[in-house]
Amino acid sequence: MQPGRLELRLEREFGGQAHVVVREAVDLRDSGQYRQDAGHELTAEVIVDNLRDAPEGDVVERWNWWLGSLALAYGDEYQYFTVRQTQRENGTF
């Protein structure tokens, strides 16, 4: 996964603060948690496909929706990677 390319894809497709989501996606990938639970690597394609399944919202809302689904399926560890309101307001991590 190339963070810069992922950010551009997410911005084009979903709008919003994609850089915040990319940072969390990189952390999730690096943790190995998704690979362990899903049985395959976390890629840009996996992220975009799953965010498309979200009922509505910008990239942050879709990301948090997907992580909520992962938390229900695999455990609360995924809550660590959600985007919190303060991250959205000031763009920090």
Side-chain angles (χ1 to χ4, degrees):
M1 173 180 15
Q2 296 176 334
R5 295 180 94 187
L6 175 59
E7 184 175 347
L8 290 173
R9 275 186 82 181
L10 293 175
E11 284 176 358
R12 275 191 302 243
E13 187 142 352
F14 306 112
Q17 295 176 318
H19 65 282
V20 179
V21 170
V22 170
R23 179 68 186 134
E24 294 300 331
V26 169
D27 287 348
L28 176 57
R29 181 202 58 199
D30 291 349
S31 76
Q33 187 69 46
Y34 182 83
R35 182 179 0 94
Q36 177 184 336
D37 292 335
H40 55 87
E41 292 296 323
L42 182 64
T43 65
E45 219 32 65
V46 167
I47 293 168
V48 171
D49 286 347
N50 281 285
L51 296 190
R52 284 181 185 143
D53 289 341
E56 61 184 25
D58 68 14
V59 68
V60 171
E61 293 164 328
R62 289 169 180 268
W63 172 259
N64 285 344
W65 175 86
W66 182 46
L67 288 186
S69 298
L70 291 172
L72 286 173
Y74 299 116
D76 289 337
E77 300 85 15
Y78 288 93
Q79 295 302 324
Y80 176 78
F81 302 101
T82 59
V83 176
R84 291 156 212 41
Q85 187 62 32
T86 56
Q87 288 173 301
R88 290 188 77 174
E89 290 170 355
N90 62 25
T92 61
F93 305 104

